[in-house]
Every structure is written in structure tokens, then in C-alpha cells.
Amino acid sequence: MPGTTIEPLDLVGFQIPYHFRCPISLELMRDPVTVSTGQTYDRSSIESWVATGNTTCPVTRVPLTDFTFIPNHTLRRLIQDWCVANQAFGVQRIPTPKQPADPTMVRTLLGQASSVSNPFQSRLSALRRLKGLARDSDKNRCVISSHNARELLINVLFGDTGSGSSELNVEALAVLVMFQLSESECESIASDPDRVIYLSHMLFHSSIEVRVNSASLIEIVLSGTRSSELRAQISNVDEIFEGVTDMLRNLNSYPRALKTGIRALFALCLLKQTRHKAVQAGAPETLIDRLADLDKCEAERALATIELLCRIPSGCSAFASHALTVPLLVKTILKISDRATEYAAGALMALCSDSEQCQREAVNAGVLTQLLLLVQSDCTERAKRKAQMLLKLLRDSWPEDSMGNSDDFACSEIVPF
């Protein structure tokens, strides 16, 4: 700010030169750019400054005559050299930043990709360049999206599907799944049976990336569509459940396939009237088999999906028949997160309400200790209520020496998911 002197920053016995530090964030600059006043800032910091409505230079307070940020290549190279010279102190060399997409070039590429009169290879090349730009940064995706890209990509994806999936369809799909679609765009897909069927076929494509991208778009459309009727049009297609479940079953060595498959299956199972299709496709067994392979967020979604499927008789029966279901759910309590604990307790409540065998398995797996710890923890009130109900249900199955304080737990209703 005006009149402020930035002193060298002392870190573990060495100093970061003040002119290498961004005047806004006071951190080492990774992508220094110069504004119209001649001051240099880290690109992300000055872009955030302008995005919040500021129109002046942060240091001089002089109004910016334009908002073009010119890369300061000389300073960046000096910073990179300094990083290399200080590797002994644990400093890592900053990578050379990729330049943001030029709006004029993006507009040209979108025009080339969407023009049916354009040669096939030209359209394909344009889509691949757009894919590369979109992968580079959020900034590039914002630039691409601002040029009506999503609607154009949807039209290319579903433009010529009569002869199967061409490279154009595949590349358009790969770009499209990098964007969040509007509700109207989601509805334009969900309301068209031909488009839904086409996506279901793409779930069985020979390319793993295409299968994952298809599942990703299905999840995006389901999540972005408020109409239950339109969502049902998607979840009524048997092949979609089969494709997503098969992806989870056979592509577990691909982290993105696991993550996308769980998200898609959860979105599909939110509609109660079609959950039986997930059971028929083998989702219960697959979810239990894959639970240990998932990270925190996806494990939560998987457990939420298990609880949803346990709310229908066929789902309960399928989970009860898997030898690892009850022990895994008991083990999950208080292990992953509060939400995961809540879903696991809800699923156990449904299973134990339906089967005395599940009650015995839960007791043998140590559920009593887990539930007693749960009701005394800082977990959610919904999880505690589910634990109290489960304790009440299992009273007759408890060992006699565990019955001392069982009357302390009152029965309460399970709060809907």
C-alpha cells in the first residue's frame, strides 16, 4: 500500500527478497504480471483484487487505465533462478505458468468446432485445443464458458449419433464434463430420450475415459435437474445402472472412475422408485467390495447410497447376504467422519430391523461398544438418535454383562436422509 515498505521475509535462516513477493499476498510470486501503473503483482492476487470490484492499483491507488496484465518474464526468471539457488533450504522451483486463453482464439476455436461445414479434422483439432485450454486452469474454463461454449458442445456431442460415437462426440464430451451446466442445459439432455440412451451406450465404450466421462455427465445432469419426472427418465434406463455399476466393479484401479462412479450411483439412487434397478445391477455387492478403496468424500457418498438402498426390501436383502456388510458398517462408525457414521448407523438400523441374523452379526462385530461411544461423542444429533434406536433394537441380543445401563437409551425416530 502507499508508503508501505515490504521487508525481506525471513524463513528458516534465509530471506525472500522483497521484490520477489507480491505486494498483495506478501508471498513469493509464481506468475508475476505488470499492470498499467507499472507495478507488478502475482497474477492470482491481482485478478482476485479486480474481481472483487476494485479499479485502482493496490500500491499506488492510481486508477487502472485498463485491466490487461502483462507477464513479467524477466522477474519470473529471476525468481526461478533464486528458487534453484535455495533448494538446500527446501525451496521448490516454481513452474513456468501457462498463459491464459485468449478470448478471440477461444471464440475462433468454438466456431471451428461447431461448424458442420468445417472439415472433420479441423473440427476435431479445435475440440482438442479447447480441451487442453480447459484443463489448464479455472480462468481458461471461465473464458471458454463465457462464449456460449456449453450449448455448442452439447450440440456437437449429440449432433450426429446415428453411426455410434465418432471422435467428435468423444472430444466434445471430454470438454463438456469440465463445466457445470445450467438447469436448462441439464433439462435439454434429460428431456430427450435419444440423448439419454446415447449416454447409456457410451457407458460401455471401449475407452475407459469415455465411460468415465459419460458417467460424469449423467451425474451432472441428474444433480442439475430439479424435475423428478426428468430425473426419472434417466434413472429408468436399466443400462445406466448396469454401466455405472460395471465401472465401479471393474475399473477400481482408476481413481477417477471410482470417484465418478460413486457420485453417479448416489445421484441415481436418490429416486426411490428406481432404486431396485441398482440392486438388480449388483450395486450392493459392488459398494461393499469397493468401500475400503474410497477416500473420505467418496466413502461418505458410498455409505449414503448404502443407506438409501437399505430402505427398500430387495436392497436390504442384498446387503444382508454379503458377509462383509455388517462388519464393515460397524467398523465405519466413528472412523471416517460424522456424516459417514450417521449413514453407517442408519444402514445398520435398517438391516437389523429386517434381520435377526444381522443383529447377531452386529453384536459379534462389536457394535455395542461403538454405539455407546457414539452417543457420548460430539457426532451429529441425527447419528446419536439412530444409535439410540439401534441400541434399543439390539437389547435382546446383548450379552448379559452389557445390560447395566441399557435403560438410559430412549427410542426415537430415524430422521429422513
Side-chain angles (χ1 to χ4, degrees):
M1 306 312 158
T4 300
T5 300
I6 303 178
E7 297 299 330
L9 186 62
D10 187 24
L11 290 175
V12 196
F14 74 101
Q15 294 180 332
I16 298 178
Y18 76 90
H19 55 283
F20 288 176
R21 295 163 55 201
C22 174
I24 298 175
S25 68
L26 304 184
E27 296 178 353
L28 183 69
M29 288 187 280
R30 304 178 66 82
D31 186 7
V33 293
T34 302
V35 299
S36 60
T37 61
Q39 294 292 326
T40 296
Y41 304 93
D42 204 13
R43 183 185 294 277
S44 61
S45 296
I46 190 63
E47 285 180 346
S48 297
W49 169 267
V50 171
T52 54
N54 296 293
T55 58
T56 59
C57 173
V59 170
T60 65
R61 296 298 187 184
V62 173
L64 295 171
T65 56
D66 67 63
F67 297 96
T68 301
F69 305 135
I70 301 172
N72 191 327
H73 298 297
T74 300
L75 180 57
R76 175 177 52 75
R77 283 192 288 269
L78 288 172
I79 293 174
Q80 288 177 325
D81 291 343
W82 177 86
C83 289
V84 171
N86 287 278
Q87 283 181 330
F89 296 98
V91 178
Q92 295 183 345
R93 183 180 183 275
I94 60 171
T96 301
K98 295 181 179 180
Q99 295 306 304
D102 176 63
T104 302
M105 179 183 68
V106 167
R107 192 160 47 245
T108 300
L109 290 174
L110 286 169
Q112 292 173 346
S114 59
S115 175
V116 294
S117 61
N118 214 26
F120 176 87
Q121 284 300 327
S122 176
R123 298 181 70 189
L124 186 61
S125 175
L127 284 170
R128 287 174 174 167
R129 290 184 65 188
L130 285 168
K131 180 172 68 174
L133 290 170
R135 282 177 172 170
D136 279 347
S137 66
D138 290 335
K139 174 80 172 176
N140 283 359
R141 287 191 288 276
C142 288
V143 172
I144 295 170
S145 185
S146 68
H147 288 83
N148 196 34
R150 300 188 305 271
E151 183 179 342
L152 293 175
L153 290 167
I154 289 172
N155 290 336
V156 174
L157 170 59
F158 299 108
D160 181 18
T161 59
S163 58
S165 57
S166 74
E167 289 181 279
L168 285 180
N169 304 112
V170 166
E171 293 296 338
L173 174 63
V175 183
L176 187 61
V177 295
M178 287 188 257
F179 299 93
Q180 193 64 43
L181 304 186
S182 68
E183 184 175 2
S184 62
E185 289 162 345
C186 289
E187 290 180 347
S188 74
I189 297 173
S191 62
D192 188 329
D194 291 336
R195 291 182 170 185
V196 174
I197 292 296
Y198 180 68
L199 284 178
S200 73
H201 291 164
M202 296 278 267
L203 287 171
F204 298 92
H205 196 277
S206 57
S207 163
I208 292 173
E209 183 182 4
V210 173
R211 296 178 67 183
V212 175
N213 286 339
S214 301
S216 180
L217 184 55
I218 288 168
E219 188 271 331
I220 290 170
V221 172
L222 284 168
S223 300
T225 303
R226 280 186 288 185
S227 166
S228 58
E229 290 81 8
L230 288 179
R231 283 187 284 125
Q233 263 190 222
I234 297 176
S235 59
N236 269 322
V237 179
D238 292 345
E239 289 81 3
I240 288 182
F241 281 99
E242 293 167 3
V244 170
T245 302
D246 183 74
M247 193 169 73
L248 286 171
R249 184 185 298 119
N250 297 315
L251 301 182
N252 57 300
S253 59
Y254 298 87
R256 183 170 172 248
L258 271 181
K259 179 178 180 178
T260 303
I262 290 295
R263 293 175 68 96
L265 186 59
F266 172 68
L268 287 163
C269 290
L270 286 173
L271 274 77
K272 183 177 181 180
Q273 63 266 36
T274 54
R275 286 176 197 163
H276 66 281
K277 293 182 181 291
V279 178
Q280 292 168 356
E285 178 183 359
T286 303
L287 285 168
I288 296 301
D289 290 342
R290 293 289 164 262
L291 191 57
D293 301 327
L294 304 174
D295 62 19
K296 175 178 174 289
C297 289
E298 304 322 318
E300 288 177 349
R301 276 195 179 86
L303 288 162
T305 308
I306 291 170
E307 185 182 8
L308 288 171
L309 292 177
C310 281
R311 295 182 181 181
I312 61 172
S314 61
C316 236
S317 176
F319 281 112
S321 66
H322 195 301
L324 294 179
T325 296
V326 172
L328 272 177
L329 291 176
V330 171
K331 185 179 178 180
T332 297
I333 293 176
L334 296 176
K335 183 178 180 182
I336 299 175
S337 68
D338 286 355
R339 293 177 69 179
T341 293
E342 181 183 324
Y343 303 144
L348 281 169
M349 181 66 203
L351 290 166
C352 291
S353 297
D354 188 64
S355 165
E356 291 185 0
Q357 175 62 29
C358 286
Q359 293 181 23
R360 291 190 290 271
E361 290 178 10
V363 171
N364 291 337
V367 73
L368 174 57
T369 301
Q370 294 288 75
L371 294 176
L372 289 173
L373 290 171
L374 172 53
V375 295
Q376 298 174 63
S377 71
D378 295 327
C379 206
T380 66
E381 289 303 315
R382 290 198 302 182
K384 290 180 181 181
R385 285 195 291 270
K386 290 176 180 180
Q388 289 169 349
M389 284 200 70
L390 192 49
L391 283 165
K392 183 78 171 180
L393 178 67
L394 295 175
R395 285 176 63 172
D396 293 339
S397 302
W398 291 0
E400 290 185 7
D401 59 357
S402 305
M403 295 293 290
N405 297 319
S406 62
D407 289 332
D408 295 341
F409 302 100
C411 182
S412 61
E413 292 186 2
I414 299 178
V415 178
F417 176 71

